[in-house]
Amino acid sequence: MKYLVSNFERVLGLFVDHLYFVAISLLISILIAVPLGIVASRIKKLYTPIIGTLGVIYTIPSLALFALLIPFLDLGFKPAVTALVAYTQMILVRNIVTAIRGIEPAVIEAAKGMGMSKWRILWKIELPLALPVVIAGIRIATVSMIGIGAIAAYINAGGLGELIFEGIYQDHPGKIVAGTIAVAILAIMTDIFFRIVARKMKPAS
C-alpha cells in the first residue's frame, strides 16, 4: 500500500491506460460478436462450428496466444487488443445466442402475425428483449479482459500489468501489491457498473 500511496500518479496513469485498451478491445469484440451471435442463433448448422472454433481459441493459454501474434503484429497494443478480442468471443457469442433463443416463441409469432419482417422483429423485439442477458455476458467478458490484459504487459502493451511485472523482475513486493490492487479495483468497478446497467435494462414486472 505504501508504494500505491507514494506513487499514486503513476498507478493512476497505468490504470487509465489499462482501462483504455480494455475499452477498445471490448468495443471491437461487441462489433464482431453481435453479428456472429445472430448468425449462430438463426442458422443452427453454423452454431456448432462457430462455438467450437471460438472454444478452441478460448483454451489457448494467454501467453501462448500473445507469442503467436507477435510475428504478425509485433509487440505492444495491437497483439494485446487482438488477443483480448479473440478470447472474449466465446463468452459473448454464446451469451447472445442463449439470449435470443431464450425469447418466448409466442412473442415472435405475435410479431409475425402483425406482418413484421424478420429484420424488424430482430431489431425491434429480439435484440431489446435479449439485451439484459447480453449485458450480463458483456460484464463477464470485460472482467475477463481486465485480468488477461494485465498479462499483456509482458509484450509491452502497458497498463497495470507493467507494474506487476516490474515488481516481479525487481523483487519489489510494493509494486506487485499496488498493481494487483489497482487491477482488482478496476474489475470490481466494472462488474458493479454492468450489474447496474443490466438491472436497469430488465423490463418492469
Side-chain angles (χ1 to χ4, degrees), residues 70-89:
I70 288 171
F72 304 99
L73 300 173
D74 206 356
L75 295 169
F77 186 81
K78 289 182 181 179
V81 170
T82 303
L84 291 181
V85 170
Y87 269 121
T88 52
Q89 289 307 300

Side-chain angles (χ1 to χ4, degrees), residues 18 22 26 84 88 91 135-150 183-195:
H18 202 98
V22 166
L26 179 63
L84 291 181
T88 52
I91 300 170
I135 293 293
I138 292 174
R139 173 178 61 83
I140 296 168
T142 307
V143 173
S144 298
M145 277 185 174
I146 291 169
I148 298 170
V183 169
I185 289 172
L186 180 56
I188 292 168
M189 287 172 56
T190 302
D191 184 77
I192 292 171
F193 171 76
F194 280 113
R195 283 183 185 276

Side-chain angles (χ1 to χ4, degrees), residues 132-167:
V133 178
V134 173
I135 293 293
I138 292 174
R139 173 178 61 83
I140 296 168
T142 307
V143 173
S144 298
M145 277 185 174
I146 291 169
I148 298 170
I151 302 172
Y154 189 75
I155 57 168
N156 296 335
L160 292 166
E162 183 178 316
L163 201 60
I164 296 172
F165 279 108
E166 275 185 19

Side-chain angles (χ1 to χ4, degrees), residues 11-108:
V11 176
L12 181 61
L14 293 173
F15 185 96
V16 172
D17 289 345
H18 202 98
L19 179 60
Y20 173 73
F21 77 71
V22 166
I24 294 295
S25 301
L26 179 63
L27 177 60
I28 297 171
S29 292
I30 293 171
L31 291 175
I32 295 172
V34 169
L36 263 182
I38 291 171
V39 169
S41 67
R42 285 282 190 271
I43 308 172
K44 292 183 179 180
K45 289 182 179 179
L46 292 180
Y47 175 80
T48 299
I50 289 173
I51 294 298
T53 301
L54 297 179
V56 170
I57 295 172
Y58 190 71
T59 60
I60 300 173
S62 54
L63 281 176
L65 184 56
F66 289 138
L68 288 171
L69 292 172
I70 288 171
F72 304 99
L73 300 173
D74 206 356
L75 295 169
F77 186 81
K78 289 182 181 179
V81 170
T82 303
L84 291 181
V85 170
Y87 269 121
T88 52
Q89 289 307 300
M90 175 66 175
I91 300 170
L92 293 173
V93 172
R94 187 169 58 183
N95 194 264
I96 290 167
V97 173
T98 301
I100 292 176
R101 289 184 177 177
I103 296 170
E104 285 289 336
V107 176
I108 306 301

